[in-house]
Amino acid sequence: NNNGTSSSSSSCDVCSAQFYIKYAIMFPGNMWTADCTYVRTLLPPLTDGAYERRKEASIERYLTLRLWKSLDATLDTDNAEHFGLGRYMWEHWVASSPHVRPCEVHGMEVGPLMLLGKDPKGRTFGPEYYDWGMAPRRIDANLGGLRNARLRLEHSPNASFREYYYLPGNLVKWFTLYGPEGVPSQDSWVWRVFPQGERWKELVGRDGENAVEEMVKASGPRFRSAFVSEDVRATSDTSSQLFHDDDGVLSLSDPPLVVFYQITFPPNKKEKALAVVKSQFDVLSLGQFDNESGAFDQNRKILLYYTITGGSMREIDIVSSLCKEKSDRITCRQRGIHDAEGVYGENFHHLHAFCNAKPSYNVVHITNRVDDRLATKIKAITSAVTSTMCLPSEESCNVCGAEFYPLPFLHFTGNMFSASCGYVNKLMSPSAFENAMTDVAGAALVADVKETYTT
């Protein structure tokens, strides 16, 4: 019916019976009239095309952020229809741009139940209920979702700010689908109708398509990289050239055991972490345990490359003192000190660089970052991974740890192990691996929603 848009040709891009913004920005029934000028701005609706791939990528991104408690979805459980996965993505397509200017024909008297033929009064509807207007008008109307869920958000501005079905989820979708073109204009209706709109408007005005990512970084949630930024790394030398300074030590007839040590001081567990460090230095100062003789080989020296995260000057000085105290057995090389406790992945950068420079060597990785369950075993695990029984080789075992488990993922107890550099050099770089695993996790979470498999 052309009457739906004739009075709105200069203001309405897409017209339908009704328009909803929860739990997806969409027109019920996926029936509408649209201006071709607007349609040409959308990604083509092709199977396996950019729209389908990016739409799914946006859900992967959200589910990953939710996993790390950066965003959440209080208004609904995981729902392929409301997420716009599978066949449902095409019901989201025509309104997938933040620049859509929607309008609707039905008056406000025609609610969701009447639309679905479930009106309590048994009413049907026809042209007598037409009342054309610009949308959205049904701001709080629901098509499905959890009963009374909105009430849980009304008294929590922070929860509303992070609610997927409000602005954050839509921003993730728009930015993933359309990049810079997915940034809503400053006079867009989205800032007016969604809770915390002004707050998000300010962030988007400042950070553009990176607004959600910058919010995540600034809020300091669990979702963060285990590595420093590339800008920070550019100010320090992490290249393999650093390790050539130790060529003399490494070329001895009885070369030292090369150990990379990640020392972490969590803010509320510094004393416990320090006790673990002291116990591990005690183990390392004994040399390498020889399983054949059943004794420590005190002639075997340790070349210790260590990185500290989260420590104050007190903890840093204590580690330095331990190195001096044990210097007859342990040669220490400090490779980094970082204020942020969470960037413990930097130590792997150094280990990876060493193996690139010294492919014929073996390396040991130890850490004091263990949970309470393993704290009493820390000396035994440290001793095990530095023992002669745990020497790796390319012919048989290329990585050795105290214990190896296949579930819930392939790992060594305490993330401590001995590995051949030949094997390490076959691995992705640590930061590239982190990014790849984030993608894997997102894909797995989406597959769970789509019921491809369960987790």
Side-chain angles (χ1 to χ4, degrees), residues 261 263 277 281 304-306 308 316-334:
Y261 188 14
I263 303 174
V277 171
F281 263 92
L304 184 69
Y305 297 105
Y306 70 91
I308 297 177
I316 294 169
D317 287 345
I318 290 175
V319 173
S320 180
S321 296
L322 287 169
C323 283
K324 292 177 182 177
E325 179 185 329
K326 312 287 187 181
S327 61
D328 59 327
R329 309 274 181 163
I330 304 172
T331 300
C332 289
R333 298 283 189 263
Q334 185 262 107

Short mmCIF file of all heavy atoms in Angstrom, two decimals, residues 261 263 277 281 304-306 308 316-334:
data_model
loop_
_atom_site.label_atom_id
_atom_site.label_comp_id
_atom_site.label_asym_id
_atom_site.label_seq_id
_atom_site.Cartn_x
_atom_site.Cartn_y
_atom_site.Cartn_z
N TYR A 261 60.85 -17.34 33.63
CA TYR A 261 60.10 -17.31 34.88
C TYR A 261 59.15 -16.11 34.89
O TYR A 261 59.58 -14.96 34.85
CB TYR A 261 61.09 -17.20 36.04
CG TYR A 261 60.52 -17.34 37.44
CD1 TYR A 261 59.24 -17.82 37.68
CD2 TYR A 261 61.31 -16.98 38.54
CE1 TYR A 261 58.76 -17.95 38.97
CE2 TYR A 261 60.85 -17.11 39.84
CZ TYR A 261 59.56 -17.60 40.05
OH TYR A 261 59.09 -17.72 41.33
N ILE A 263 56.81 -13.99 37.05
CA ILE A 263 56.54 -13.68 38.45
C ILE A 263 55.40 -12.67 38.51
O ILE A 263 55.52 -11.56 37.99
CB ILE A 263 57.80 -13.11 39.14
CG1 ILE A 263 58.97 -14.09 39.01
CG2 ILE A 263 57.51 -12.81 40.61
CD1 ILE A 263 60.28 -13.54 39.54
N VAL A 277 57.58 -17.49 45.28
CA VAL A 277 58.81 -17.10 44.59
C VAL A 277 60.03 -17.59 45.37
O VAL A 277 60.97 -18.18 44.80
CB VAL A 277 58.88 -15.58 44.39
CG1 VAL A 277 60.27 -15.16 43.88
CG2 VAL A 277 57.81 -15.11 43.41
N PHE A 281 62.90 -20.23 44.05
CA PHE A 281 64.33 -19.91 44.02
C PHE A 281 65.12 -20.96 44.79
O PHE A 281 66.24 -21.33 44.39
CB PHE A 281 64.58 -18.51 44.59
CG PHE A 281 64.69 -17.45 43.53
CD1 PHE A 281 63.58 -16.74 43.11
CD2 PHE A 281 65.92 -17.16 42.94
CE1 PHE A 281 63.68 -15.76 42.14
CE2 PHE A 281 66.04 -16.19 41.96
CZ PHE A 281 64.91 -15.48 41.55
N LEU A 304 68.39 -17.73 34.20
CA LEU A 304 67.00 -17.39 34.51
C LEU A 304 66.60 -16.05 33.90
O LEU A 304 67.11 -15.00 34.29
CB LEU A 304 66.81 -17.35 36.03
CG LEU A 304 65.39 -17.11 36.53
CD1 LEU A 304 64.51 -18.32 36.24
CD2 LEU A 304 65.40 -16.82 38.04
N TYR A 305 65.70 -16.09 32.93
CA TYR A 305 65.11 -14.88 32.36
C TYR A 305 63.76 -14.67 33.05
O TYR A 305 62.86 -15.50 32.94
CB TYR A 305 64.90 -15.03 30.86
CG TYR A 305 66.17 -15.23 30.06
CD1 TYR A 305 66.51 -16.48 29.56
CD2 TYR A 305 67.01 -14.16 29.82
CE1 TYR A 305 67.67 -16.66 28.81
CE2 TYR A 305 68.18 -14.33 29.08
CZ TYR A 305 68.50 -15.58 28.58
OH TYR A 305 69.65 -15.75 27.85
N TYR A 306 63.60 -13.54 33.74
CA TYR A 306 62.35 -13.36 34.48
C TYR A 306 61.65 -12.06 34.11
O TYR A 306 62.26 -11.07 33.73
CB TYR A 306 62.59 -13.44 35.99
CG TYR A 306 63.34 -12.28 36.61
CD1 TYR A 306 62.67 -11.17 37.11
CD2 TYR A 306 64.74 -12.31 36.72
CE1 TYR A 306 63.35 -10.13 37.69
CE2 TYR A 306 65.44 -11.27 37.30
CZ TYR A 306 64.73 -10.17 37.79
OH TYR A 306 65.42 -9.12 38.36
N ILE A 308 58.40 -9.56 35.69
CA ILE A 308 57.56 -9.29 36.86
C ILE A 308 56.36 -8.46 36.44
O ILE A 308 56.49 -7.46 35.72
CB ILE A 308 58.36 -8.53 37.94
CG1 ILE A 308 59.51 -9.38 38.46
CG2 ILE A 308 57.45 -8.12 39.10
CD1 ILE A 308 60.40 -8.68 39.49
N ILE A 316 59.89 -6.11 43.78
CA ILE A 316 60.92 -6.10 42.74
C ILE A 316 62.32 -6.18 43.38
O ILE A 316 63.19 -6.92 42.91
CB ILE A 316 60.78 -4.83 41.87
CG1 ILE A 316 59.47 -4.89 41.08
CG2 ILE A 316 61.98 -4.70 40.92
CD1 ILE A 316 59.11 -3.58 40.40
N ASP A 317 62.50 -5.43 44.45
CA ASP A 317 63.81 -5.44 45.14
C ASP A 317 64.08 -6.80 45.78
O ASP A 317 65.24 -7.25 45.81
CB ASP A 317 63.85 -4.34 46.21
CG ASP A 317 63.96 -2.94 45.61
OD1 ASP A 317 64.31 -2.85 44.41
OD2 ASP A 317 63.68 -1.97 46.33
N ILE A 318 63.05 -7.45 46.32
CA ILE A 318 63.25 -8.76 46.94
C ILE A 318 63.68 -9.79 45.90
O ILE A 318 64.58 -10.60 46.15
CB ILE A 318 61.96 -9.22 47.66
CG1 ILE A 318 61.72 -8.36 48.91
CG2 ILE A 318 62.05 -10.70 48.05
CD1 ILE A 318 60.42 -8.65 49.62
N VAL A 319 63.07 -9.75 44.72
CA VAL A 319 63.47 -10.67 43.64
C VAL A 319 64.92 -10.41 43.25
O VAL A 319 65.72 -11.34 43.06
CB VAL A 319 62.54 -10.52 42.42
CG1 VAL A 319 63.06 -11.35 41.24
CG2 VAL A 319 61.12 -10.96 42.77
N SER A 320 65.27 -9.14 43.13
CA SER A 320 66.65 -8.78 42.79
C SER A 320 67.63 -9.30 43.86
O SER A 320 68.71 -9.81 43.54
CB SER A 320 66.78 -7.27 42.65
OG SER A 320 68.10 -6.89 42.34
N SER A 321 67.23 -9.21 45.13
CA SER A 321 68.08 -9.70 46.22
C SER A 321 68.22 -11.22 46.16
O SER A 321 69.31 -11.76 46.42
CB SER A 321 67.48 -9.29 47.57
OG SER A 321 67.47 -7.89 47.72
N LEU A 322 67.16 -11.91 45.82
CA LEU A 322 67.23 -13.36 45.68
C LEU A 322 68.21 -13.75 44.58
O LEU A 322 68.97 -14.72 44.71
CB LEU A 322 65.85 -13.94 45.39
CG LEU A 322 64.86 -13.95 46.56
CD1 LEU A 322 63.45 -14.31 46.07
CD2 LEU A 322 65.31 -14.95 47.62
N CYS A 323 68.20 -13.00 43.49
CA CYS A 323 69.14 -13.27 42.39
C CYS A 323 70.59 -13.11 42.86
O CYS A 323 71.46 -13.92 42.53
CB CYS A 323 68.87 -12.31 41.23
SG CYS A 323 67.42 -12.76 40.23
N LYS A 324 70.85 -12.06 43.64
CA LYS A 324 72.21 -11.84 44.14
C LYS A 324 72.61 -12.92 45.14
O LYS A 324 73.74 -13.42 45.13
CB LYS A 324 72.30 -10.46 44.79
CG LYS A 324 72.15 -9.32 43.81
CD LYS A 324 72.17 -7.97 44.52
CE LYS A 324 71.99 -6.82 43.53
NZ LYS A 324 71.93 -5.50 44.22
N GLU A 325 71.65 -13.28 45.99
CA GLU A 325 71.91 -14.29 47.02
C GLU A 325 72.24 -15.65 46.42
O GLU A 325 73.06 -16.40 46.94
CB GLU A 325 70.69 -14.38 47.94
CG GLU A 325 70.79 -15.40 49.05
CD GLU A 325 69.49 -15.52 49.82
OE1 GLU A 325 68.76 -14.49 49.93
OE2 GLU A 325 69.19 -16.63 50.31
N LYS A 326 71.59 -15.96 45.28
CA LYS A 326 71.76 -17.28 44.65
C LYS A 326 72.66 -17.19 43.41
O LYS A 326 72.66 -18.08 42.57
CB LYS A 326 70.39 -17.83 44.21
CG LYS A 326 69.29 -17.76 45.26
CD LYS A 326 69.47 -18.77 46.37
CE LYS A 326 68.26 -18.78 47.30
NZ LYS A 326 68.40 -19.74 48.41
N SER A 327 73.44 -16.12 43.29
CA SER A 327 74.18 -15.87 42.04
C SER A 327 75.24 -16.92 41.73
O SER A 327 75.67 -17.03 40.58
CB SER A 327 74.83 -14.48 42.09
OG SER A 327 75.75 -14.39 43.17
N ASP A 328 75.65 -17.70 42.73
CA ASP A 328 76.63 -18.74 42.44
C ASP A 328 76.00 -19.90 41.66
O ASP A 328 76.71 -20.69 41.02
CB ASP A 328 77.26 -19.26 43.73
CG ASP A 328 76.21 -19.82 44.69
OD1 ASP A 328 75.07 -19.30 44.71
OD2 ASP A 328 76.54 -20.77 45.43
N ARG A 329 74.69 -20.00 41.72
CA ARG A 329 73.97 -21.08 41.03
C ARG A 329 73.06 -20.57 39.90
O ARG A 329 72.80 -21.28 38.95
CB ARG A 329 73.09 -21.84 42.01
CG ARG A 329 73.79 -22.30 43.25
CD ARG A 329 74.45 -23.62 43.05
NE ARG A 329 75.11 -24.10 44.26
CZ ARG A 329 75.47 -25.34 44.44
NH1 ARG A 329 75.24 -26.23 43.51
NH2 ARG A 329 76.08 -25.70 45.55
N ILE A 330 72.56 -19.34 40.09
CA ILE A 330 71.55 -18.80 39.16
C ILE A 330 72.07 -17.49 38.57
O ILE A 330 72.45 -16.57 39.30
CB ILE A 330 70.21 -18.55 39.87
CG1 ILE A 330 69.70 -19.82 40.54
CG2 ILE A 330 69.17 -18.01 38.89
CD1 ILE A 330 68.47 -19.58 41.43
N THR A 331 72.07 -17.42 37.23
CA THR A 331 72.38 -16.17 36.54
C THR A 331 71.06 -15.54 36.10
O THR A 331 70.34 -16.10 35.27
CB THR A 331 73.27 -16.42 35.31
OG1 THR A 331 74.50 -17.03 35.74
CG2 THR A 331 73.57 -15.12 34.59
N CYS A 332 70.74 -14.40 36.68
CA CYS A 332 69.43 -13.77 36.42
C CYS A 332 69.53 -12.72 35.32
O CYS A 332 70.51 -11.97 35.24
CB CYS A 332 68.90 -13.11 37.68
SG CYS A 332 68.35 -14.25 38.96
N ARG A 333 68.50 -12.69 34.49
CA ARG A 333 68.36 -11.66 33.46
C ARG A 333 66.92 -11.14 33.54
O ARG A 333 65.97 -11.85 33.23
CB ARG A 333 68.62 -12.22 32.06
CG ARG A 333 70.03 -12.76 31.87
CD ARG A 333 71.02 -11.64 31.67
NE ARG A 333 72.33 -12.16 31.27
CZ ARG A 333 73.33 -12.39 32.10
NH1 ARG A 333 73.19 -12.15 33.40
NH2 ARG A 333 74.48 -12.86 31.65
N GLN A 334 66.77 -9.91 33.98
CA GLN A 334 65.44 -9.32 34.07
C GLN A 334 65.00 -8.88 32.69
O GLN A 334 65.69 -8.13 32.01
CB GLN A 334 65.48 -8.14 35.06
CG GLN A 334 64.10 -7.52 35.33
CD GLN A 334 63.87 -6.28 34.49
OE1 GLN A 334 63.11 -6.32 33.55
NE2 GLN A 334 64.55 -5.21 34.83
#
